[in-house]
Amino acid sequence: MALIVQKYGGSSVADAASVQRVAARIVATKQAGHDVCVVVSAMGDTTDELLDLAQQVTADPPSREMDILLTAGERISMSLLAMAIDGLGVEARSFTGQQAGVITDAAYGQARIIDVSPSRITATLADGQVAIVAGFQGVNTEANDVTTLGRGGSDTTAVALAAALGADVCEIYSDVDGVFTADPRIVPSARRLGQIGYDVMLEMAASGAKVLMPRCVEYARRFGVPVHVRSSFSDLDGTLVTKEDPMEEPIIAGVAHDRSQAKITLVDVPDVPGKAARIFKVVADAGVNVDMIVQNVSASGTGRTDVSFTLPAADGDAATAALAAVRAEIGYARLAYDDTIGKLSLVGAGMKSNPGVSARLFHALSDAGINIEMISTSEIRLSVVTGAGDLDAAVRAVHTAFDLDSDQDEAVVYGGTGR
Amino acid sequence: MALIVQKYGGSSVADAASVQRVAARIVATKQAGHDVCVVVSAMGDTTDELLDLAQQVTADPPSREMDILLTAGERISMSLLAMAIDGLGVEARSFTGQQAGVITDAAYGQARIIDVSPSRITATLADGQVAIVAGFQGVNTEANDVTTLGRGGSDTTAVALAAALGADVCEIYSDVDGVFTADPRIVPSARRLGQIGYDVMLEMAASGAKVLMPRCVEYARRFGVPVHVRSSFSDLDGTLVTKEDPMEEPIIAGVAHDRSQAKITLVDVPDVPGKAARIFKVVADAGVNVDMIVQNVSASGTGRTDVSFTLPAADGDAATAALAAVRAEIGYARLAYDDTIGKLSLVGAGMKSNPGVSARLFHALSDAGINIEMISTSEIRLSVVTGAGDLDAAVRAVHTAFDLDSDQDEAVVYGGTGR
């Protein structure tokens, strides 16, 4: 008998029939002898509909009220799910984030969990009942106000509860079968990974793999919570995200991609010390997270250089406005903005210690006729920026070049082969 | 400057445009210099949609979960309303029943308010902000679980908050202009009452006038809260429900009607002491509230009599089942059930002291060719049961017979005329 936390996303509880299907799965887990705590997101499009309502009412809704509005979505899904489980003859109780003891800071819309005190959940499980908890929300106990956790909040709720309850595993259910070597919509031959380490998963998530959000993986790594990423539409095993196992870890885990970035280039920046620091101070003060940075050497002898960096396209306006305001001070000639870029990242724990990875990647892209605009590397990741229109072809070319396609011999890409 | 509690029903906040319209009305009240606390119901059909979702998921949803589900409706309307007010440049904060300090017992679905501790509302008003409170809901502090107050719950929330805050008036907004001498949909010439006493309003409400629920009027009477019943679609004065003023009180306030009742007749009940007590004990034990009771004398000398009573048609199955189970014990011959009845009630504070009222009523119905099935009276009310098909004609005939039509001289029906 284990203590299992299960999290179901909005696509798994999109309508009454889906709620019943998920309820049956929960009941099966319970009847197999396990204690079950379930974290649930809002049904299907509920959150978007509520956002739309808010926009109809006012252009700039206060964030405190926005959080109250959005948390109505989980209130609906969690009570319906408890009802459906009850209808199958198993007792279930639903709890808001507040009732489940999810304590956050006061940053409405993007609150951080600062403590979890799940005494009501523990008591509910001890009574033999299934506990259903609203994802994505908590309470700021200082103001006694409801907060939402922002993107990926429900996954984080599930992992945080699993850590606080000492659960054996946190199962994250969605409409995908697990973590793949690439997005199967782009690479039909992509393979599901059976197991992946926290660090590699974190790089995959940060590089655009949408199956888990980085903050959720960070939380799981910090507390050592094993996370099982599965589909709620099948009974297949998914991907287990857990501590690194050197014997099991593939050299190359997969190819992630990200279409949400944009690139800013400042042309003819005076090549004197302190300019780069000043530029990125201005951008950071505008609340923008910079990703990749490239500064060309001023080979021409003009004493001027170009500085390029990538950022979330959603922050493009904020960054360009902030930089335009200091153009004279920084002394750049021109700002170029490009949001038709794509980022490809090759991720794997053995990458750094395996020379030839970058050469193989550049060769594959070159063979496919794809131009590389920027490059950056980390211990376990190698990222390149391409034109947006080239991204899908680039992902396919790299996936094939690293023998990740499913018709290849699996042993080739898993650890211990010395490649 | 006054402290005003305003309550807006679901029809007043049916969509984003309605929410904005209500927000403008609240802002106008605030800018006139008043402190404003607003109680709001769920938008339009939200509650029905949630009930429908629950029914799709399971046939018999647990009441605790049902209350969690239904309270999502006010969460949406209250936050949207706060946003809309904020969009008009006035600060507003929304609060759940729990946050507003509405403490109830644990009777899910029909909880009773046992205390109101509105410290957050008081603080919000002191800060110059508008406080928006979710109607229809509270918290059972023993279990720390959300509860709903049942039918008329939002009106009751408003009156209870007005009492706890010491408000000058509680304004109840809906889609009608006030309390009328009869339902204007049946009697187009019905007149709006400018003022009405708590007791008479209570009889009107209990007799089927839908503008206020009896529990709300009881609460207002107990705490002496003046209630102003108004339309959110006009700026007209409505009806002030307040302490009786003998000089202002009309002899006849109006004609209420009720289509929701049914009639049960037990035929040939042994006419011996204790039978009636036994019958109504059985019915009460089934959780059914009996309204009118008629027992004919056993004039035929058979030692048997018929016992008839009315009850909510929704309780018809429960009552007939309970009585069928004791048929042998009670010894009645047959049970007749009729849900095609209507109840007409003439209500007014001066009725008892004005002989001739009942004769005039019976005469009016007789002239209209309408048969009376049952009669009951109280200090300030005279009710008759007719066939359902005769009810509208009965209401019109009585309304005219008591000179209530708006083309009549108003002085005729108001106090002090000695009729």
Side-chain angles (χ1 to χ4, degrees):
Chain A
M1 177 180 133
L3 169 49
I4 300 176
V5 173
Q6 299 186 330
K7 180 261 171 177
Y8 293 94
S11 62
S12 300
V13 291
D15 52 28
S18 307
V19 169
Q20 289 175 314
R21 194 174 46 74
V22 164
R25 186 180 276 270
I26 293 166
V27 166
T29 309
K30 174 73 183 159
Q31 288 175 341
H34 304 301
D35 284 341
V36 190
C37 171
V38 177
V39 174
V40 67
S41 303
M43 296 170 78
D45 301 326
T46 307
T47 302
D48 287 340
E49 288 166 11
L50 293 174
L51 285 168
D52 184 50
L53 264 178
Q55 285 300 324
Q56 287 177 42
V57 162
T58 182
D60 184 24
S63 55
R64 176 188 184 272
E65 301 301 326
M66 202 59 166
D67 278 8
I68 293 168
L69 178 69
L70 294 182
T71 50
E74 286 80 29
R75 207 172 180 87
I76 294 170
S77 57
M78 77 184 201
S79 51
L80 286 175
L81 187 53
M83 289 176 195
I85 293 169
D86 184 273
L88 295 174
V90 171
E91 282 191 278
R93 294 282 160 89
S94 70
F95 299 96
T96 62
Q98 174 168 25
Q99 290 173 329
V102 180
I103 319 287
T104 75
D105 60 21
Y108 298 117
Q110 48 181 351
R112 293 178 62 89
I113 296 176
I114 53 180
D115 196 12
V116 181
S117 308
S119 58
R120 292 195 71 175
I121 307 304
T122 308
T124 300
L125 298 178
D127 284 348
Q129 299 168 330
V130 173
I132 314 286
V133 177
F136 180 65
Q137 59 177 253
V139 63
N140 165 30
T141 44
E142 276 184 47
N144 193 27
D145 273 340
V146 67
T147 51
T148 67
L149 307 181
R151 290 189 61 195
S154 289
D155 290 359
T156 308
T157 301
V159 170
L161 265 173
L165 293 168
D168 296 281
V169 64
C170 178
E171 299 181 338
I172 306 274
Y173 287 90
S174 70
D175 53 1
V176 297
D177 283 330
V179 183
F180 280 74
T181 51
D183 186 335
R185 285 169 299 188
I186 295 178
V187 185
S189 61
R191 286 182 303 101
R192 182 181 55 77
L193 298 168
Q195 188 165 337
I196 188 170
Y198 293 122
D199 288 334
V200 174
M201 185 67 237
L202 196 53
E203 284 284 7
M204 292 280 280
S207 302
K210 295 195 171 59
V211 62
L212 285 179
M213 293 293 288
R215 65 189 299 196
C216 158
V217 183
E218 279 173 19
Y219 211 108
R221 178 172 64 172
R222 178 145 41 109
F223 291 95
V225 176
V227 175
H228 190 178
V229 180
R230 310 179 67 176
S231 166
S232 70
F233 296 89
S234 80
D235 284 319
L236 297 175
D237 271 349
T239 300
L240 189 65
V241 185
T242 181
K243 283 199 184 67
E244 273 69 18
D245 177 347
M247 293 305 293
E248 290 294 325
E249 200 71 21
I251 294 170
I252 303 296
V255 184
H257 71 276
D258 187 352
R259 281 182 220 286
S260 67
Q261 303 266 310
K263 183 175 74 167
I264 286 178
T265 302
L266 297 183
V267 179
D268 278 355
V269 179
D271 194 8
V272 295
K275 282 295 174 192
R278 181 69 190 129
I279 289 168
F280 292 107
K281 174 75 162 60
V282 167
V283 174
D285 287 349
V288 176
N289 280 321
V290 166
D291 182 19
M292 296 164 67
I293 300 174
V294 173
Q295 179 173 351
N296 298 334
V297 291
S298 52
S300 60
T302 58
R304 291 186 166 260
T305 183
D306 295 346
V307 176
S308 294
F309 61 92
T310 61
L311 70 169
D315 293 336
D317 288 347
T320 50
L323 288 168
V326 294
R327 179 176 166 182
E329 180 204 333
I330 293 176
Y332 66 84
R334 189 166 61 83
L335 184 153
Y337 180 77
D338 181 5
D339 58 7
T340 60
I341 64 166
K343 187 174 84 166
L344 176 154
S345 299
L346 188 66
V347 181
M351 195 180 300
K352 188 78 170 187
S353 55
N354 280 266
V357 168
S358 55
R360 182 191 281 226
L361 182 136
F362 300 148
H363 192 71
L365 293 176
S366 168
D367 281 356
I370 293 165
N371 192 38
I372 298 174
E373 299 185 18
M374 297 171 80
I375 300 169
S376 81
T377 61
S378 81
E379 193 73 21
I380 56 177
R381 178 180 53 80
L382 201 165
S383 298
V384 298
V385 167
T386 69
D390 287 334
L391 185 60
D392 287 4
V395 170
R396 281 189 287 265
V398 172
H399 196 267
T400 300
F402 285 88
D403 302 331
L404 294 170
D405 295 339
S406 59
D407 56 350
Q408 308 273 348
D409 178 5
E410 292 206 15
V412 174
V413 292
Y414 275 84
T417 62
R419 293 173 75 241
Chain B
M1 180 179 132
L3 169 48
I4 299 177
V5 173
Q6 298 186 331
K7 179 262 171 177
Y8 293 93
S11 63
S12 301
V13 291
D15 52 29
S18 307
V19 169
Q20 290 175 312
R21 193 174 47 73
V22 164
R25 186 181 276 271
I26 293 165
V27 165
T29 309
K30 174 73 183 158
Q31 289 175 340
H34 304 301
D35 283 341
V36 189
C37 171
V38 176
V39 174
V40 67
S41 302
M43 294 170 80
D45 300 326
T46 307
T47 302
D48 288 341
E49 288 166 12
L50 293 173
L51 285 167
D52 184 50
L53 265 177
Q55 285 300 323
Q56 287 177 44
V57 161
T58 182
D60 184 22
S63 56
R64 175 188 184 274
E65 302 301 325
M66 202 58 166
D67 278 7
I68 292 168
L69 178 68
L70 294 182
T71 50
E74 285 80 30
R75 208 173 181 87
I76 295 170
S77 57
M78 78 185 202
S79 52
L80 286 176
L81 186 54
M83 289 175 194
I85 292 169
D86 185 273
L88 296 174
V90 171
E91 282 192 277
R93 295 281 160 87
S94 70
F95 300 95
T96 62
Q98 175 167 23
Q99 291 173 328
V102 179
I103 320 288
T104 76
D105 61 21
Y108 298 116
Q110 49 181 350
R112 292 179 62 88
I113 296 176
I114 54 181
D115 196 11
V116 181
S117 308
S119 56
R120 292 194 72 175
I121 307 304
T122 307
T124 300
L125 298 178
D127 284 348
Q129 299 169 331
V130 174
I132 314 286
V133 177
F136 180 66
Q137 59 177 254
V139 64
N140 165 31
T141 44
E142 277 184 46
N144 193 25
D145 273 341
V146 67
T147 52
T148 66
L149 307 181
R151 289 189 63 197
S154 290
D155 289 359
T156 308
T157 302
V159 170
L161 265 173
L165 293 168
D168 296 282
V169 65
C170 178
E171 299 180 338
I172 306 274
Y173 287 90
S174 70
D175 53 1
V176 296
D177 283 330
V179 183
F180 281 73
T181 51
D183 186 334
R185 285 169 297 188
I186 295 177
V187 184
S189 61
R191 286 182 302 104
R192 181 181 56 77
L193 297 168
Q195 187 166 336
I196 188 169
Y198 292 122
D199 289 333
V200 173
M201 185 67 236
L202 196 52
E203 284 283 8
M204 292 280 281
S207 302
K210 294 196 172 59
V211 61
L212 285 179
M213 292 294 286
R215 65 190 299 197
C216 158
V217 183
E218 279 172 20
Y219 211 107
R221 178 173 62 171
R222 178 145 41 109
F223 291 95
V225 176
V227 175
H228 191 178
V229 181
R230 309 179 66 175
S231 166
S232 71
F233 297 89
S234 79
D235 283 319
L236 297 175
D237 272 348
T239 300
L240 190 65
V241 185
T242 181
K243 284 200 183 69
E244 273 70 19
D245 178 344
M247 292 307 292
E248 289 294 324
E249 199 71 21
I251 294 169
I252 303 296
V255 184
H257 71 277
D258 186 353
R259 280 182 221 285
S260 69
Q261 303 266 310
K263 184 175 73 168
I264 287 177
T265 301
L266 297 182
V267 179
D268 278 354
V269 180
D271 193 8
V272 296
K275 283 294 172 191
R278 181 69 190 129
I279 289 168
F280 292 107
K281 174 75 162 61
V282 167
V283 174
D285 286 349
V288 176
N289 280 320
V290 166
D291 182 18
M292 296 164 68
I293 301 175
V294 172
Q295 180 172 351
N296 298 334
V297 291
S298 53
S300 60
T302 58
R304 290 184 167 263
T305 184
D306 295 346
V307 176
S308 295
F309 62 92
T310 61
L311 70 170
D315 292 336
D317 288 348
T320 51
L323 286 168
V326 294
R327 178 177 167 181
E329 180 204 331
I330 292 177
Y332 66 84
R334 188 167 61 84
L335 183 153
Y337 181 76
D338 181 5
D339 58 8
T340 61
I341 63 165
K343 188 173 84 167
L344 176 154
S345 299
L346 189 66
V347 182
M351 196 180 299
K352 189 77 170 187
S353 55
N354 279 266
V357 168
S358 55
R360 183 191 282 225
L361 182 136
F362 301 150
H363 192 72
L365 293 175
S366 168
D367 281 356
I370 294 164
N371 192 38
I372 298 173
E373 299 185 16
M374 297 172 80
I375 300 169
S376 80
T377 60
S378 81
E379 192 73 22
I380 57 176
R381 177 180 53 80
L382 202 164
S383 298
V384 298
V385 167
T386 69
D390 287 335
L391 186 60
D392 287 3
V395 169
R396 281 189 286 266
V398 172
H399 197 266
T400 300
F402 283 88
D403 302 331
L404 294 169
D405 295 340
S406 60
D407 54 352
Q408 308 275 346
D409 178 4
E410 292 205 15
V412 175
V413 291
Y414 274 83
T417 63
R419 294 170 77 239

